Amino acid sequence: MAASWLIRLVFLTVNVLMAVVLVISNSDFCASVFETQTDHVLVGHVMSTSTVADEFECHQKCLRNNSCKSFNVHPGADINTNHVCELNNETRKMKPDNFIKKKGSSYYGQVKVSCQDLPTNKKKQTGHCHPDYRGKKCEIPKRGWNSKQPAYSCKSIRDSGDFKGDGRYWIDPENSGNPLNVYCDMTTDGGGWLLVSNITMESSTPPSQLPVKTSYRGITSDQMVLTKTAMNELRTHLSFTQLRFHCFKKYACTFHVTTAANSSGEAVVQYFSGQTDVQPASCGSYVIRENDNSRLARVCQNWGSENGVHTVGKWGHGRKQDRLYIYPAFTVGKSHWYMNPPNFLCDDNIPNPTSSSDFWKVYVR
């Protein structure tokens, strides 16, 4: 019962705020919200009827139905536990003659509002753009800021200038209408980096198993490592050209390199994206980042293992699905990037203790 009253309070607050928004004398409209009319319903345009727990659930049903333009909520047999939800394909403004009074019921309908917020100072004559929009008339949506306006990639958000610093954004590489909420690094080396693999220690005790993701859609998780198959799927939809490996271990070092913008760097991208099983040469394929203090980054000629032979000057270990997180870069017996519980290595060889500040991250751009 308490939850129901809370929902009603939220809807009432939204209704009051919307009424304030509507007084803005601006003819440029680019967004829709739901208005509320208590003790009223729209009749004759009901598409479907269902029982719901509260108004919020009915609202969600309407949002998921492309034909829904408004909805009615009636009290159910037990007003404290259920309601009747009716989805309409018209609004009261479209069909005013069908909008009638009905005590105890409520109507919620889409109305267009200005993309400008109210002025912060009443003396000002113009408002500020809603945070999700920009432009002289606030008519341009900022891509990536919400699930309704996803961007293609972190890089496209950076290139458009719509970024707001490091953090979560929405992208839809497939343009499928099923966007992903991902983490973008918008500051390192010009920004535009999509986090595709992340293990961050939450305590001094390492995890007992890895959160392995076999589909690129797993990059929505806070903690994840991608298989070769997932990386291959990602590059099929997202044309990234660089990888960035960054690990830090308090009781070891920082390894931080970016693949070079040349054919050697592209070979590394293809290998870790599963487009080839040919291990790429390490020397000349990467650029050392300024905070790297590892031994590994400075001995590229000693990297790797191929067909049982070590120190071959190549990325990897000839591994298949787990190549991105088990020995992507290492010098045998000395320095390793390695994640396989209980051992997590970053430029070390022996299983030095981990701490809550340790992390292993891989980005693409």
Side-chain angles (χ1 to χ4, degrees):
M1 181 173 179
S4 177
W5 278 107
L6 178 59
I7 293 296
R8 290 177 180 274
L9 178 60
V10 171
F11 270 83
L12 178 61
T13 304
V14 170
N15 189 37
V16 172
L17 289 175
M18 188 185 63
V20 175
V21 171
L22 289 174
V23 304
I24 301 175
S25 58
N26 188 323
S27 60
D28 299 306
F29 297 103
C30 59
S32 295
V33 297
F34 277 83
E35 64 164 337
T36 306
Q37 295 287 338
T38 57
D39 295 330
H40 284 77
V41 294
L42 185 70
V43 297
H45 303 284
V46 176
M47 299 184 300
S48 65
T49 303
S50 61
T51 300
V52 296
D54 48 43
E55 294 92 334
F56 180 75
E57 184 178 346
C58 190
H59 188 189
Q60 294 301 301
K61 285 179 177 291
C62 185
L63 291 177
R64 290 193 292 266
N65 189 318
N66 293 332
S67 299
C68 182
K69 294 182 173 61
S70 67
F71 60 93
N72 306 315
V73 178
H74 306 282
D78 184 346
I79 191 172
N80 295 321
T81 59
N82 63 70
H83 300 76
V84 176
C85 170
E86 295 178 340
L87 303 187
N88 306 317
N89 57 10
E90 300 286 355
T91 68
R92 72 180 181 91
K93 291 192 174 183
M94 295 174 179
K95 301 293 180 180
D97 293 340
N98 300 128
F99 188 63
I100 64 172
K101 284 188 176 182
K102 186 169 184 179
K103 190 169 180 62
S105 298
S106 297
Y107 164 87
Y108 302 88
Q110 291 184 22
V111 293
K112 292 182 177 181
V113 297
S114 170
C115 282
Q116 287 189 324
D117 287 336
L118 285 171
T120 55
N121 186 328
K122 292 182 179 179
K123 294 181 180 180
K124 293 182 180 180
Q125 298 301 311
T126 59
H128 299 284
C129 286
H130 184 279
D132 289 354
Y133 292 84
R134 59 182 170 84
K136 290 183 178 180
K137 297 182 179 180
C138 305
E139 77 283 9
I140 305 173
K142 291 182 179 179
R143 297 289 177 182
W145 284 42
N146 61 69
S147 59
K148 301 297 183 183
Q149 301 287 354
Y152 170 66
S153 66
C154 294
K155 184 177 181 295
S156 68
I157 297 172
R158 182 208 66 178
D159 292 346
S160 69
D162 285 344
F163 60 94
K164 52 184 175 181
D166 299 344
R168 287 277 173 179
Y169 293 85
W170 291 90
I171 65 170
D172 188 0
E174 297 181 62
N175 194 27
S176 64
N178 188 18
L180 302 165
N181 189 224
V182 301
Y183 184 88
C184 299
D185 178 343
M186 294 299 193
T187 54
T188 303
D189 188 27
W193 295 98
L194 168 64
L195 182 65
V196 298
S197 188
N198 178 43
I199 295 296
T200 300
M201 294 296 167
E202 298 178 348
S203 69
S204 59
T205 303
S208 58
Q209 62 182 21
L210 290 178
V212 177
K213 308 298 180 181
T214 58
S215 168
Y216 87 94
R217 300 193 68 83
I219 60 178
T220 57
S221 303
D222 290 327
Q223 303 265 50
M224 70 280 187
V225 291
L226 298 193
T227 62
K228 180 187 76 169
T229 298
M231 285 291 288
N232 184 260
E233 181 190 13
L234 176 62
R235 205 182 193 209
T236 299
H237 303 298
L238 192 67
S239 55
F240 58 88
T241 58
Q242 285 184 290
L243 287 164
R244 180 159 63 88
F245 291 83
H246 187 190
C247 69
F248 165 81
K249 195 172 179 182
K250 180 179 179 180
Y251 297 106
C253 293
T254 297
F255 175 73
H256 195 186
V257 302
T258 303
T259 56
N262 56 27
S263 58
S264 296
E266 171 62 19
V268 179
V269 173
Q270 290 186 14
Y271 173 69
F272 286 108
S273 299
Q275 294 176 291
T276 179
D277 289 332
V278 177
Q279 291 175 242
S282 49
C283 292
S285 68
Y286 63 88
V287 177
I288 301 175
R289 303 300 309 160
E290 58 275 5
N291 63 337
D292 178 284
N293 62 0
S294 69
R295 297 164 296 176
L296 179 60
R298 289 157 180 81
V299 290
C300 59
Q301 69 278 5
N302 296 330
W303 283 24
S305 176
E306 185 177 41
N307 299 323
V309 179
H310 299 302
T311 64
V312 292
K314 293 185 177 182
W315 288 80
H317 194 271
R319 301 186 70 91
K320 300 301 181 182
Q321 290 293 342
D322 55 10
R323 65 180 56 172
L324 193 67
Y325 49 96
I326 296 183
Y327 297 124
F330 76 102
T331 57
V332 64
K334 295 181 180 179
S335 303
H336 303 74
W337 175 301
Y338 181 82
M339 290 185 289
N340 191 14
N343 297 324
F344 290 81
L345 307 179
C346 176
D347 198 50
D348 48 349
N349 176 42
I350 58 175
N352 290 315
T354 56
S355 69
S356 59
S357 59
D358 298 348
F359 63 80
W360 288 256
K361 301 176 186 287
V362 181
Y363 299 83
V364 302
R365 180 174 69 181

